[in-house]
Amino acid sequence: MANLKIYLVHLRDENQGVTAMETAILMPVFLSIIFGIMEFSRLQWMKQSLEELTYKAARCASTGADICATESLIRNFMSDEGSYLGYNPQTATVTVELGVQCAGLMSDRVTISQPSNSPLTDFIPMLPETVYAEACFPVQDTS
């Protein structure tokens, strides 16, 4: 019985390995926060890039430029302009509507829906699986 008391007192005063245990407990939480911030930032960058691309495409279509005269030329313009923005024309769904009403004006509308391909959507359900952007630009009178 005396040996058990001595052992328990010794065990209570022992502090080897405490740092390793604290690290093992806190590291997953810390890494989850860091990777969550990085993934949220990537999704925000992707949304902003797609919004910029849709605006450029709608503006190009509305101004009557030769490089955006048809829907296929608008898609080619988007592929060229979006190459540095992370736009992937193979996975994105693009809709081009020419001469539609948008905010009460005759406009050209471009919408893009692209998968986010986030590895964290299984762990964080609030992250979107697709990123969506839409832009309208009033049709310019070329006469």
Side-chain angles (χ1 to χ4, degrees), residues 7-126:
Y7 176 73
L8 290 176
V9 168
H10 177 69
L11 187 62
R12 182 189 68 200
D13 294 337
E14 187 65 43
N15 61 3
Q16 282 184 327
V18 172
T19 303
M21 285 301 296
E22 290 173 351
T23 302
I25 292 169
L26 294 177
M27 189 60 72
V29 174
F30 178 71
L31 289 176
S32 296
I33 291 170
I34 294 298
F35 286 122
I37 290 170
M38 288 171 35
E39 190 62 21
F40 180 75
S41 299
R42 188 186 72 83
L43 288 173
Q44 287 299 106
W45 171 79
M46 187 177 191
K47 178 149 180 66
Q48 175 62 32
S49 297
L50 289 180
E51 286 177 358
E52 181 181 339
L53 183 60
T54 55
Y55 177 79
K56 284 181 176 182
R59 182 175 182 272
C60 183
S62 296
T63 56
D66 290 338
I67 61 171
C68 294
T70 65
E71 188 174 326
S72 63
L73 289 174
I74 294 169
R75 290 176 187 269
N76 290 341
F77 173 80
M78 290 174 67
S79 293
D80 294 341
E81 288 290 315
S83 61
Y84 71 96
L85 295 173
Y87 167 69
N88 186 354
Q90 284 78 29
T91 60
T93 303
V94 178
T95 305
V96 177
E97 299 171 284
L98 303 174
V100 297
Q101 287 283 18
C102 190
L105 297 170
M106 186 61 80
S107 304
D108 292 336
R109 178 185 300 149
V110 177
T111 58
I112 299 176
S113 178
Q114 183 168 337
S116 64
N117 299 328
S118 173
L120 298 180
T121 51
D122 295 335
F123 302 110
I124 305 172
M126 66 182 266

